[in-house]
Every structure is written in C-alpha cells, then in structure tokens.
C-alpha cells in the first residue's frame, strides 16, 4: 500500500467554509455507508455534498484525508461521551466511576454502529488515520485518573495497567458486538455482564452487583430453616 497524505490542506475559519467542510464530512459518511471504503471516491463525496471536486480539494487532498477527519470526529464524540459520564460519577466512589465508564463506553457503540463497523473492518491505519482511530489510550487515562485516588481499594497492584486492561477488554467487547452481535448494542444485559467483569477484576470477585430497587424488592426470600 502506498503512502497517502492524510492531513487536510487548510482549516476552515469562516462560517461558510466550516459549513462546506461539515457537508463534505457528512457526505463522506453517507458514501462510506453506501459503497464501503474501497468504493468511496472524492468525486462521489463531492457529488453527495453538492460541491465541486475543486472545492473539496481546497480542504482535502484525497479520500484518506477525508476519512481521517471523519474518524477524528467520531473518536472525539466517543471520548466526550465517556468524559461526561465520568464527570457525573461520585469521585468518592470508584465503583461508580467504573460503572459509568462501562455504561458510556458501551453506549458510545450506538454512535452510528454501521459506520463504526466500516471503520473497524475496512479503513487502513495509515498516517493520521492511525492516530485518529487510537482513542484507547485517552480513555484508559480517563479511567486511571478516577481510580488512582482509590488504589488501596483495588485488587490489582498497578492502576495504569488496570485501566489499560479494562479499557482494552471493553473495546474488544464493543468491536465484537458491532461486528458479530449488533442486536446486543445498548442492551441492559450486555452492560450488566461487562460491569460485573470490570468490577470483579478491579475490586475482587466479591464486588457486589448492584440490584435495582424493583429487583431487590421482588427477590424471593429463602424458606429454608435456620
């Protein structure tokens, strides 16, 4: 595979030019979904965006640069969702942070899963594409910051590695779900199992599973004699 320039030619500064770039990036999504990565061309994107190819080339030298910008935006949306969830978690409760991290990480799979599937399976990791697609480190750092003040409560010795393991497991799970089990996206069952996995790893196998009020209230009591 040859080397492709993945940097944009210039950054839009005026409202009109930003709107043009936004339309081009949105058109890139539509063409990717319709044609796949190999079938996507700058000509097709320009036509879908309603701009000339010359206008597209003012900002993007090729489709690799187009897709790199798209991936960057997609990655930023995922990171922002996780950041927001962690910001709302109780800083004194590390388990709450883990629950929020898992919930937000899985919920992020709802951000255009069809597009995410193409980005996982078809888009080559070259140049800026490789950097843009790498959200894992940023997410692991977010989790590490919330766990670090509570390292004494963890069942694992290294907070950085622990955050890396949890993020990697969650990312792998999310990718497998998108590719093989898309019906599980956004389900409470998947969130519950992933949360149990993360809590047991971080805090030990006896970490309690949170029950909803309704479930706890309706749980049958044992009738065995004591």
């Amino acid at each position: 595979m040859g080397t492709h320039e993945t940097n944009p030619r210039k950054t839009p500064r005026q409202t009109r030019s930003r709107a043009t770039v936004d339309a081009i990036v949105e058109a890139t999504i539509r063409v990717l979904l319709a044609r796949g990565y190999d079938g996507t061309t700058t000509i097709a994107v320009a036509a879908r965006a309603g701009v000339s190819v010359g206008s597209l080339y003012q900002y993007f030298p090729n489709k690799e640069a187009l897709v790199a910008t798209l991936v960057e935006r997609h990655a930023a949306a995922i990171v922002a969702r996780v950041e927001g969830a962690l910001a709302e978690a109780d800083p004194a409760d590390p388990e709450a942070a883990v629950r929020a991290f898992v919930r937000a990480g899985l919920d992020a799979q709802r951000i255009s899963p069809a597009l995410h599937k193409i980005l996982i399976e078809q888009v080559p990791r070259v140049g800026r594409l490789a950097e843009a697609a790498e959200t894992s480190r940023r997410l692991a750092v977010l989790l590490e910051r919330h766990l670090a003040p509570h390292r004494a409560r963890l069942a694992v010795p290294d907070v950085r590695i622990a955050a890396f393991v949890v993020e990697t497991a969650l990312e792998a799970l999310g990718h497998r779900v998108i590719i093989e089990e898309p019906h599980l996206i956004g389900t409470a069952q998947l969130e519950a199992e992933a949360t149990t996995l993360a809590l047991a790893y971080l805090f030990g196998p006896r970490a309690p599973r949170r029950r909803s009020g309704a479930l706890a209230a309706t749980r049958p009591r044992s009738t065995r004699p004591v």
Side-chain angles (χ1 to χ4, degrees), residues 19-33 45 48-49 66 70 73 112 115:
T20 297
V21 169
D22 288 344
I24 291 172
V25 174
E26 182 63 27
T28 303
I29 295 174
R30 301 305 168 198
V31 175
L32 277 172
L33 292 175
V45 170
R48 185 63 185 257
L66 270 173
L70 167 61
R73 294 188 179 194
S112 188
L115 173 64

Side-chain angles (χ1 to χ4, degrees), residues 209-221:
R209 296 185 69 166
R210 176 174 296 176
R211 296 179 177 275
S212 67
L215 180 60
T218 57
R219 184 183 182 187
R221 295 183 178 180

Side-chain angles (χ1 to χ4, degrees), residues 106-107 109-110 113 174 177-178 181-187 190:
L106 292 178
D107 191 51
Q109 307 302 332
R110 300 188 193 188
V177 166
I178 286 174
E181 304 285 345
H183 63 281
L184 290 176
I185 294 174
T187 63
L190 182 65

